Amino acid sequence: MTDFAPDELLTIAAARELTDGTTTFVGIGPPGAAANLAQRTHAPNLVLVYESGAIGAKPDRLPLSIGDGILGETADAVVTVPEMFNYWVQPGRIDVGFLGAAQIDRYGNINTTVIGDYASPKVRLPGAGGAPEIAANCGEVIVILRQSKRAFVERVEFVTSVGHGDGSPGYRERLGLRGRGPVKIITDLGKLEVDPETREFVMTALHEGVTREQAIEATGWELRFADDVATLPLPTAEELETLRSLKA
Amino acid sequence: MSAKITTLRDAVAELVHDGDTIALEGFTHLIPVAAGHEIIRQGRRDLTLVRMTPDIVYDQLIGAGCARKLVFSWGGNPGVGSLHRLRDAVENGWPHPLEIEEHSHAGMANRYAASAAGLPFAVMRGYTGTDLVKHTPTIARITCPFTGEELTAVPNLGLDVAIIHAQRADRKGNVQMWGLTGVQKEAVLGARRSLVTVEEIVDELEPMPNQVVLPSWVVTAVAEVPGGARPSYAQGYYDRDNDAYRAWDPISRDREAFTAWLKSEVLA
């Protein structure tokens, strides 16, 4: 068995969640790597949409930023940023929003703004970027994030992008949010999915070799498990090789 | 009136004043970094800096003490991490306190669109349920007069000056850019004054795929500044210097290292 890093494990697991032929709004870091990997493996017709204005980008290497030249040069269409958000994201044309986070809570609300008080923060994070409207308007959202008590918190300190709010029934509908919101969180320990009854994220799968105790230990809320917890197969040599060649 | 072909130094001296609200735009591509350095050299103060992604150019302006306020939507070093001069200003008030006004990309894009259209605000679906609404006074609810639907309004940016970098201009000052063009057209059309730095001034603008042309009469000044977007990139001219973005991290983390960098790379 080949060795792999935690980020490679979660990137490969996230790539497997993307269905061929869907449109995906892609951020930088693990979400970008996962979407590019999916396009190179099981989902050649995956449409990659970048907030910089590239629609249908087919980069042959992993861009460092969401505005790298390779995106515009390989895209089906290049649009301005106002057009991207107003004509493409806002009406719900994108199937899947792929997001990272600094903090996420049990109802899938996302914080990428501040840790601590807003006016005098302990840590000032980069902020919203495209995420709030991606989370509101894409068909559904998949979040990719390493699992730790620091990141997986009971309630986020700042709601940058809305998940399922306080978990009450119809929370998103009452706000007029039209997408389904976060449905999956892919981590280096496994996969969490939203419970349709409680809107809470529960662990539905663990990577091979990961224990329930590890997942509980890395979660800041009282983690629940699905009745049948699946085991996610380890990355294949082909997936690892493809991912690494994208980064080269 | 057509654009004046001038130098970067003269254009900044004439167009950018202390206390102005100013946007240097370019979404990863075509960031007017050289113009930012000229503003630092000329010692502008109390600027309200507007930019979707402050990037390292605003990290430098903030660290150099040019800014009073930042209006933005994503303040990181793309693909690398934090903007440490921005964080030091927000978290510790160094070199002096920085007021922030924070939006999402969609909100900023709409504010630029409203500015270009000469409207007091733009309307959108966004921000609902987020905590941004509690901290950013320039986000408001509005009811659609036709359907009664609750939507969000964001205001015109009130830009005094917009500065962008483009690939080419002709000798009359008509500006041509292509590739990812972000919100640059909106920034120029939305500002009272504008400066475009270009890679080169040519006799004839040869058409390019996906080009945006700004006619000379909507631009105030054009200055030829080859490499003016480095370490960002200019499609057709040079690539993004990703190593420079990575190298910015240790420089910007440390006040002394930053001050030394400023002296040797900008002020010297």
Side-chain angles (χ1 to χ4, degrees):
Chain A
M1 188 62 237
T2 329
D3 279 340
F4 48 83
D7 271 356
E8 292 179 322
L9 179 64
L10 78 91
T11 301
I12 288 167
R16 292 174 183 163
E17 298 292 334
L18 291 170
T19 310
D20 196 23
T22 55
T23 52
T24 305
F25 204 95
V26 186
I28 45 165
N36 279 275
L37 175 62
Q39 196 187 55
R40 301 246 134 199
T41 52
H42 68 277
N45 302 306
L46 188 68
V47 179
L48 307 185
V49 181
Y50 286 81
E51 65 191 14
S52 53
I55 297 174
K58 294 162 276 289
D60 57 2
R61 57 180 160 77
L62 212 52
L64 182 70
S65 84
I66 43 78
D68 273 20
I70 189 78
L71 300 174
E73 286 160 23
T74 62
D76 298 327
V78 175
V79 301
T80 67
V81 172
E83 179 177 333
M84 175 55 71
F85 283 98
N86 286 342
Y87 297 179
W88 298 88
V89 177
Q90 187 164 262
R93 283 183 221 285
I94 315 293
D95 298 319
V96 182
F98 229 17
L99 296 175
Q103 278 189 334
I104 192 160
D105 66 25
R106 68 159 79 202
Y107 298 116
N109 302 297
I110 293 170
N111 175 16
T112 55
T113 303
V114 287
I115 309 289
D117 181 55
Y118 184 78
S120 49
K122 236 183 301 176
V123 182
R124 177 63 236 196
L125 300 164
E133 285 74 24
I134 293 166
N137 297 317
C138 287
E140 61 181 39
V141 172
I142 300 175
V143 181
I144 308 176
L145 184 61
R146 284 176 75 164
Q147 203 164 343
S148 72
K149 270 211 162 78
R150 219 172 58 159
F152 284 63
V153 296
E154 177 70 37
R155 290 312 300 261
V156 288
E157 294 175 62
F158 189 101
V159 178
T160 313
S161 303
V162 180
H164 305 280
D166 57 8
S168 59
Y171 186 90
R172 291 182 64 85
E173 291 77 4
R174 280 199 302 283
L175 290 175
L177 306 177
R178 299 190 298 180
R180 291 172 61 213
V183 292
K184 292 173 190 167
I185 309 171
I186 309 300
T187 82
D188 52 334
L189 301 182
K191 171 159 72 170
L192 297 90
E193 291 180 80
V194 72
D195 180 330
E197 296 300 313
T198 64
R199 264 77 51 195
E200 177 181 331
F201 274 90
V202 299
M203 206 89 208
T204 56
L206 295 167
H207 293 298
E208 196 177 314
V210 174
T211 64
R212 289 184 178 221
E213 288 66 36
Q214 279 176 283
I216 291 167
E217 194 50 44
T219 308
W221 69 83
E222 207 177 308
L223 182 64
R224 293 202 297 118
F225 290 84
D227 293 340
D228 295 303
V229 176
T231 301
L232 299 174
L234 292 173
T236 65
E238 191 206 339
E239 285 169 324
L240 281 166
E241 196 183 314
T242 310
L243 177 60
R244 285 169 190 170
S245 71
L246 275 170
K247 290 188 175 182
Chain B
M1 206 176 78
S2 57
K4 185 169 158 185
I5 310 280
T6 180
T7 64
L8 178 57
R9 186 155 69 175
D10 288 350
V12 167
E14 195 181 321
L15 300 182
V16 183
H17 313 136
D18 286 354
D20 275 354
T21 296
I22 175 170
L24 276 67
E25 270 298 351
F27 201 91
T28 308
H29 183 209
L30 295 172
I31 299 176
V33 178
H37 291 179
E38 184 59 31
I39 292 169
I40 293 174
R41 274 192 293 276
Q42 296 195 18
R44 288 296 174 279
R45 289 292 177 268
D46 296 321
L47 298 174
T48 292
L49 296 177
V50 179
R51 207 178 132 72
M52 294 184 64
T53 59
D55 206 88
I56 66 177
V57 65
Y58 275 11
D59 213 33
Q60 293 163 358
L61 280 154
I62 290 164
C66 302
R68 181 184 71 76
K69 181 176 176 182
L70 174 69
V71 182
F72 74 109
S73 44
W74 191 83
N77 180 345
V80 179
S82 287
L83 291 176
H84 296 286
R85 292 300 92 224
L86 165 59
R87 277 184 59 176
D88 201 15
V90 173
E91 293 171 17
N92 309 307
W94 193 92
H96 46 68
L98 181 73
E99 190 188 332
I100 58 170
E101 182 178 315
E102 187 163 9
H103 279 268
S104 66
H105 279 350
M108 285 298 283
N110 274 291
R111 296 190 71 183
Y112 276 111
S115 305
L119 287 170
F121 66 88
V123 71
M124 60 184 284
R125 289 179 206 283
Y127 297 106
T128 317
T130 74
D131 286 338
L132 286 163
V133 176
K134 297 177 193 163
H135 297 278
T136 305
T138 46
I139 300 170
R141 302 283 281 170
I142 188 167
T143 307
C144 171
F146 304 105
T147 64
E149 196 178 351
E150 289 288 307
L151 298 164
T152 298
V154 289
N156 187 308
L157 286 161
L159 296 173
D160 295 305
V161 193
I163 302 180
I164 65 166
H165 186 77
Q167 281 101 338
R168 295 197 286 239
D170 66 18
R171 296 188 195 288
K172 293 181 196 138
N174 297 300
V175 169
Q176 182 194 35
M177 56 185 162
W178 64 91
L180 301 171
T181 56
V183 291
Q184 287 100 303
K185 179 177 175 176
E186 287 77 8
V188 167
L189 294 179
R192 288 173 194 90
R193 306 182 291 278
S194 60
L195 162 63
V196 184
T197 59
V198 294
E199 285 300 320
E200 58 178 337
I201 292 176
V202 297
D203 292 327
E204 191 95 18
L205 297 176
E206 177 200 333
M208 296 297 291
N210 292 312
Q211 69 175 5
V212 173
V213 172
L214 293 168
S216 178
W217 50 274
V218 296
V219 175
T220 316
V222 171
E224 190 176 49
V225 186
R230 288 183 194 280
S232 116
Y233 69 104
Q235 192 173 321
Y237 289 81
Y238 45 87
D239 291 333
R240 190 172 189 269
D241 184 353
N242 289 332
D243 289 340
Y245 276 85
R246 291 190 190 97
W248 182 247
D249 191 73
I251 296 167
S252 62
R253 270 178 195 274
D254 181 75
R255 289 176 190 172
E256 277 180 36
F258 168 75
T259 307
W261 174 90
L262 197 58
K263 266 190 197 145
S264 69
E265 303 301 317
V266 179
L267 300 173

